[in-house]
Amino acid sequence: MVKCIETGDEALKDLFKGLLSSGAVDGLILPQRAGKSVIYTLVTDPGKVKDPAIFAPSFGFNAANILRKWLIEDKVLGLVFKPCEARATIELIKLEQINPDAILLISVDCPGTFKNEDYTANTDEIGDKLTDEIKSKLSEKGVEVRAACTMCETKLGEIGDIGIWHMGLGSTTVVALSEKGEAALSKVEGITLGDKDIDRSSLQSEIKSAAESGREALKKELESLNDPLKLLDVLNDCIVCKNCRDICPVCYCKECFFEQSLGNPRGGDLLNIANTRGDVRIPPYGLFYHLTRAYHVCVTCIGCGACEDACPKGIPLTLIYPVVARNVQDLFEYVPGMDLEEPIPLTTYQEDELEPR
């Protein structure tokens, strides 16, 4: 049984305006349409809420990335996020990068997304919601959903304070997921929450089964990289631009090793290394960089695939990060971004935490 209200897609604009005008939030970060593209906007004026595109299957970056250091105490932001973005937000809260009292987390059902450029090129055909029929037609044209989405198990907007659901339902439904969410919705004029029994367990089972199939397909590709030399071949084109690090929502170190002289040698430092070894690849440390990143994010990676999208060389980073991360997370029986109260494994110590695994 959940507290909810059926709104329909058309009423969502009024909902967001109401959250702002009622003072439930001081600002909203939400995706809005801009021509054929979808862009995130930070809106503080209810009159500037124009064309919310919260279900549009477009992914440019993980919006949780811009919230790091959101520690303000007296301002509340409403975040209208896809589940992977909501999970990243929760991980950043655990890592003390976001003040949980300063956000209202609103998660939205997401059946999968396309890269921004693919979505923009096929906007008229895709529309505002993704269906299996649309996916099939685009696949025939060689346009596929992002690899990360094929193995995602958390496509339902059931994370945070408010959920906006449409998958498996007859109409769009706004659901209070927490007391904070219920209090915020109750402030909006015209909204009266009612109790309703909504069971989407069979839909979740279908999503999980499809995700397992997608992950197995990617694992087969990953097996070919078990040989370090083959992995090095895949990373040969890496220019160590660090885009994957900068776009990753859970990679937040204040001082990165690869910005220091030892991790990013230049000029004389580079020559000193070459004199010691006889030669040094330029740019240096490509493989070491990715192995270090994989280690750093292996527990908190939420598998959004933003790293691969940001790579200018088209390196299949979804094979390296989300797939490897899932193996580590399974070891600790940890699902990042799903439970705010569950500590991140590598931030705690238990003498028998790996027994009998």
Side-chain angles (χ1 to χ4, degrees):
M1 194 73 69
V2 295
K3 290 190 176 295
C4 64
I5 182 173
E6 293 184 6
T7 61
D9 294 354
E10 300 77 13
L12 291 176
K13 181 194 255 187
D14 291 333
L15 167 66
F16 298 137
K17 286 183 175 181
L19 288 171
L20 287 168
S21 60
S22 67
V25 297
D26 297 289
L28 275 174
I29 294 180
L30 77 163
Q32 299 198 106
R33 188 164 298 287
K36 291 191 174 184
S37 298
V38 174
I39 60 172
Y40 273 97
T41 52
L42 171 56
V43 185
T44 57
D45 180 352
K48 296 292 185 179
V49 177
K50 295 179 180 177
D51 191 7
I54 64 173
F55 297 129
S58 173
F59 188 96
F61 69 106
N62 191 311
N65 189 47
I66 63 174
L67 289 172
R68 286 178 289 185
K69 307 288 193 308
W70 181 257
L71 303 172
I72 298 174
E73 295 183 0
D74 58 348
K75 298 291 182 181
V76 177
L77 277 186
L79 314 174
V80 186
F81 279 0
K82 295 177 178 66
C84 62
E85 296 168 319
R87 291 175 59 202
T89 300
I90 289 175
E91 287 302 286
L92 287 171
I93 290 173
K94 294 181 186 181
L95 292 165
E96 299 183 358
Q97 299 298 297
I98 296 176
N99 177 1
D101 297 327
I103 62 169
L104 179 73
L105 188 53
I106 304 169
S107 62
V108 178
D109 282 353
C110 174
T113 60
F114 297 95
K115 292 181 180 179
N116 255 358
E117 55 268 34
D118 288 337
Y119 179 78
T120 301
N122 298 277
T123 301
D124 295 336
E125 190 171 351
I126 297 173
D128 287 330
K129 286 184 179 178
L130 184 61
T131 65
D132 289 339
E133 182 181 4
I134 292 172
K135 277 197 284 188
S136 179
K137 287 182 178 179
L138 288 173
S139 181
E140 292 174 1
K141 294 170 52 177
V143 180
E144 304 285 354
V145 296
R146 299 165 59 253
C149 297
T150 65
M151 61 176 186
C152 177
E153 292 185 6
T154 54
K155 293 182 175 179
L156 301 182
E158 299 177 351
I159 305 165
D161 303 304
I162 296 173
I164 302 180
W165 300 353
H166 71 87
M167 292 172 63
L169 303 176
S171 64
T172 299
T173 302
V174 178
V175 182
L177 302 175
S178 72
E179 291 183 1
K180 184 196 290 187
E182 183 178 349
L185 289 173
S186 298
K187 289 183 178 181
V188 179
E189 185 178 350
I191 285 188
T192 301
L193 298 175
D195 293 325
K196 188 173 182 179
D197 187 13
I198 300 178
D199 183 5
R200 298 202 291 176
S201 57
S202 60
L203 176 60
Q204 180 57 57
S205 295
E206 292 176 17
I207 292 172
K208 185 174 182 179
S209 178
E212 289 174 353
S213 298
R215 190 161 49 250
E216 286 304 314
L218 289 174
K219 275 186 177 180
K220 288 180 181 179
E221 292 186 55
L222 180 65
E223 287 172 2
S224 66
L225 305 182
N226 283 341
D227 183 338
L229 293 179
K230 292 181 179 178
L231 177 60
L232 192 57
D233 284 342
V234 171
L235 297 174
N236 263 340
D237 283 341
C238 177
I239 57 174
V240 198
C241 65
K242 307 184 186 76
N243 277 8
C244 54
R245 176 200 67 183
D246 295 340
I247 205 68
C248 176
V250 294
C251 197
Y252 72 96
C253 292
K254 292 182 178 179
E255 187 174 7
C256 178
F257 170 80
F258 291 99
E259 295 299 338
Q260 301 174 39
S261 57
L262 185 59
N264 187 28
R266 306 252 176 180
D269 291 329
L270 195 61
L271 180 60
N272 289 337
I273 295 173
N275 283 334
T276 301
R277 300 180 181 176
D279 69 354
V280 60
R281 176 175 172 165
I282 300 176
Y285 301 154
L287 178 60
F288 181 41
Y289 166 76
H290 285 286
L291 292 176
T292 302
R293 271 215 74 235
Y295 164 72
H296 271 204
V297 303
C298 64
V299 176
T300 55
C301 172
I302 43 80
C304 68
C307 52
E308 181 170 319
D309 292 343
C311 179
K313 306 298 285 185
I315 298 172
L317 296 177
T318 301
L319 292 180
I320 299 172
Y321 294 123
V323 174
V324 171
R326 178 59 185 265
N327 292 337
V328 176
Q329 291 160 10
D330 286 347
L331 182 68
F332 287 100
E333 297 178 352
Y334 180 72
V335 181
M338 295 300 290
D339 184 354
L340 187 58
E341 302 303 320
E342 183 180 11
I344 298 173
L346 295 184
T347 63
T348 60
Y349 173 74
Q350 297 177 30
E351 190 170 326
D352 60 349
E353 65 183 345
L354 290 180
E355 301 294 339
R357 297 184 290 278

